[in-house]
């Protein structure tokens, strides 16, 4: 076991451990809220599924990459490789769709009652559950029923290939027919692009709504209005920060993954950096949300006192 493999293995092990613990703690927090209140607000419901998606990503990318870097390649067969890649695709798809749902529903929620969305504003919370179900159904069904048409699903884990391709411990894709690439683009890439566009639109709309809302309440000094306005603004700003963080890591990860896919013999460091960046958001997301929860709690204590 070389020094670089040991170093990469320790980095992935640390990242995966921190990410799994963070997501488990956050999931436990939301489950406790549900157990106490018997219901979850739509933001908490979406964040719960985002946490599950993040956990899938860490388990399907961080954990196998750690084992491969530490020289435990005999554990991986064609079946286990495809299983990990399947979970990876589902987790990645649910991560972007959950973040998109969070931004879109928050945009509808903070929209003025006199806007064109006034009817949807009232009905939107009822559609959160079915929207999440459809997203899970889409990514689970597509990646399960059409594995031959998904690029990563036709990869094979081979110790010989790993050694010849820079000992990176990654599943290398084989030559794909044009029809497979087109189907992959339609079923996987197009929804991700659509979700990204929706997030950008929702972010821009929320910024515009916040700006107008701030101008309207500048001269209002009633405490109740001030508290409500402040709470809405904080919640929206927090979601904007979460989306910005996700889009930054997602874009950077996509660039590296595309580079790995189109390079015949990707280097050891390129492949590992690509995986490291892919697992960054699922790792930091729960701690980011915990900080926001702590800030909200401190804010409420300050207002009450």
């Amino acid at each position: 076991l070389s020094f670089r493999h040991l170093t990469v293995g320790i980095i992935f092990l640390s990242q995966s451990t921190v990410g799994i613990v963070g997501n488990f703690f956050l999931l436990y927090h939301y489950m406790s809220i549900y157990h106490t209140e018997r219901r979850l607000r739509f933001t908490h419901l979406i964040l719960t599924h985002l946490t599950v998606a993040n956990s899938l990503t860490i388990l399907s990318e961080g954990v196998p990459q750690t084992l491969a870097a530490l020289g435990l390649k005999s554990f991986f067969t064609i079946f286990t490789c495809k299983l990990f890649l399947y979970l990876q695709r589902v987790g990645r798809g649910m991560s972007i769709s959950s973040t998109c749902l969070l931004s879109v529903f928050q945009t509808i929620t903070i929209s003025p009652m006199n806007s064109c969305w006034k009817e949807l504003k009232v009905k939107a919370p009822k559609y959160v559950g079915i929207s999440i179900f459809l997203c899970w159904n889409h990514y689970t069904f597509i990646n399960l029923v059409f594995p031959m048409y998904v690029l990563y699903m036709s990869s094979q884990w081979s110790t010989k290939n790993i050694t010849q391709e820079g000992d990176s411990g990654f599943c290398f894709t084989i030559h794909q027919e044009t029809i497979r690439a087109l189907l992959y683009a339609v079923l996987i890439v197009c929804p991700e692009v659509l979700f990204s566009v929706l997030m950008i639109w929702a972010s821009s709309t929320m910024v515009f709504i916040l700006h107008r809302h701030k101008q309207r309440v500048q001269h209002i000094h009633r405490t109740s209005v001030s508290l409500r306005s402040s709470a809405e603004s904080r919640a929206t700003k927090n979601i904007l920060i979460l989306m910005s963080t996700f889009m930054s890591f997602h874009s950077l990860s996509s660039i590296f993954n595309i580079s790995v896919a189109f390079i015949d013999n990707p280097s050891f460091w390129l492949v590992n950096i690509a995986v490291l960046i892919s697992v960054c958001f699922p790792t930091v997301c729960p701690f980011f949300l915990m900080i926001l929860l702590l800030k909200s709690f401190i804010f409420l204590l300050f207002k009450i006192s």
Side-chain angles (χ1 to χ4, degrees), residues 39-303:
R39 62 184 297 272
L40 288 174
R41 289 184 295 176
F42 81 89
T43 52
H44 290 165
L45 180 60
I46 297 176
L47 289 173
T48 299
H49 287 270
L50 177 60
T51 302
V52 174
N54 288 338
S55 301
L56 278 179
T57 303
I58 295 174
L59 291 173
S60 60
E61 288 196 77
V63 173
Q65 195 70 18
T66 301
L67 296 175
L70 294 177
L72 303 176
K73 302 168 187 175
S74 58
F75 171 79
F76 299 100
T77 63
I78 294 178
F79 172 77
T80 56
C81 178
K82 289 186 176 183
L83 176 62
F84 279 124
L85 291 172
Y86 168 74
L87 295 176
Q88 171 190 334
R89 294 308 310 171
V90 174
R92 176 183 172 90
M94 280 307 302
S95 183
I96 188 172
S97 59
S98 298
T99 310
C100 178
L101 287 176
L102 183 64
S103 60
V104 171
F105 279 108
Q106 182 66 12
T107 303
I108 296 174
T109 301
I110 67 171
S111 62
M113 285 301 296
N114 58 354
S115 67
C116 58
W117 292 346
K118 59 182 179 181
E119 294 184 3
L120 188 59
K121 181 181 175 73
V122 178
K123 299 179 180 179
K126 301 178 182 178
Y127 298 138
V128 173
I130 187 63
S131 299
I132 295 174
F133 171 77
L134 290 176
C135 289
W136 276 109
N137 185 66
H138 170 77
Y139 285 105
T140 303
F141 180 78
I142 292 301
N143 287 287
L144 184 63
V145 176
F146 302 106
M148 293 303 294
Y149 300 128
V150 180
L151 289 177
Y152 286 118
M153 286 300 117
S154 61
S155 303
Q156 293 185 357
W157 192 291
S158 172
T159 304
K160 181 179 179 180
N161 285 342
I162 291 172
T163 305
Q164 292 178 350
E165 301 295 341
D167 199 16
S168 61
F170 209 75
C171 291
F172 291 94
T173 56
I174 58 176
H175 176 72
Q176 301 296 319
E177 297 176 1
T178 304
I179 185 64
R180 294 181 180 180
L182 289 175
L183 285 172
Y184 173 77
V186 171
L187 298 174
I188 303 297
V189 176
C190 287
E192 289 190 1
V193 172
L194 177 61
F195 286 138
S196 299
V197 172
L198 284 175
M199 276 192 282
I200 295 173
W201 166 80
S203 301
S204 304
T205 305
M206 279 192 282
V207 170
F208 176 73
I209 293 175
L210 279 179
H211 178 69
R212 290 188 60 184
H213 185 67
K214 183 178 180 180
Q215 289 181 330
R216 290 178 180 177
V217 300
Q218 277 180 345
H219 306 293
I220 300 177
H221 301 286
R222 289 178 57 187
T223 304
S224 59
V225 176
S226 177
L227 282 173
R228 181 180 177 184
S229 172
S230 180
E232 289 178 351
S233 298
R234 285 198 332 274
T236 305
K237 290 177 181 177
N238 291 341
I239 292 176
L240 283 172
I241 296 173
L242 179 66
M243 285 189 300
S244 300
T245 305
F246 174 82
M247 288 303 298
S248 299
F249 281 118
H250 180 73
S251 300
L252 195 58
S253 173
S254 298
I255 293 173
F256 274 91
N257 286 331
I258 291 173
S259 301
V260 171
F262 281 92
I263 295 177
D264 292 333
N265 298 313
S267 66
F268 173 85
W269 293 111
L270 177 62
V271 172
N272 284 282
I273 290 174
V275 178
L276 183 68
I277 295 175
S278 297
V279 185
C280 273
F281 178 77
T283 301
V284 303
C285 180
F287 298 97
F288 171 76
L289 293 173
M290 289 178 205
I291 293 174
L292 296 183
L293 289 172
L294 181 61
K295 285 184 177 180
S296 299
F297 179 72
I298 295 174
F299 177 81
L300 290 176
L301 288 179
F302 177 76
K303 286 297 181 180

